[in-house]
Amino acid sequence: SVIILLFLGIIFASIGKVSYSYFTTRGEPKIHLYITGITLVINILLNIILIPNIGINGAALATTISYFVYGITYLIIFRFRENIAIKDFFYISKKEIIDLFKIFRKK
């Protein structure tokens, strides 16, 4: 159950990992710093609350919730600052698939 809980969170953590590079190259690393700080505080507080009550599953749940907050916060920032629709993060268009095939055929 611990691994299943963590796998759910990893999906959202990966959004943050990719987004970090984007904001760093744009000269805005503080955005990542603030989001990471908020995530850290949430994780610590949830660990304090959940570990005594449900043990290792509480630690996994705390981590997953903080990863969720981490990823969703980036999606919200992208949505409003960069005017990127949330669905565009998860939906691969036909044009993108064609472009990927072109890239891989060149190699």
Side-chain angles (χ1 to χ4, degrees):
S1 62
V2 171
I3 297 206
I4 291 170
L5 283 170
L6 290 173
F7 274 139
L8 296 172
I10 288 171
I11 295 166
F12 292 96
S14 64
I15 294 168
K17 292 292 182 187
V18 172
S19 302
Y20 162 74
S21 300
Y22 175 79
F23 284 108
T24 301
T25 57
R26 293 204 59 206
E28 300 177 296
K30 286 185 179 181
I31 291 175
H32 176 72
L33 179 67
Y34 296 140
I35 294 171
T36 304
I38 291 167
T39 303
L40 174 67
V41 170
I42 290 170
N43 189 275
I44 291 170
L45 291 174
L46 288 173
N47 274 305
I48 290 169
I49 294 167
L50 295 175
I51 291 175
N53 292 320
I54 53 179
I56 193 167
N57 287 328
L61 184 59
T63 300
T64 296
I65 291 169
S66 19
Y67 283 168
F68 177 80
V69 170
Y70 183 64
I72 291 297
T73 303
Y74 271 112
L75 289 178
I76 291 169
I77 288 172
F78 272 113
R79 172 68 188 105
F80 292 106
R81 275 190 82 188
E82 307 298 328
N83 201 27
I84 298 172
I86 300 291
K87 73 175 178 101
D88 290 338
F89 283 98
F90 303 103
Y91 174 75
I92 299 174
S93 71
K94 193 176 199 178
K95 182 191 177 314
E96 291 170 329
I97 293 171
I98 292 168
D99 289 343
L100 284 172
F101 277 114
K102 287 178 185 177
I103 290 169
F104 287 113
R105 282 188 185 153
K106 289 181 183 179
K107 293 183 179 186

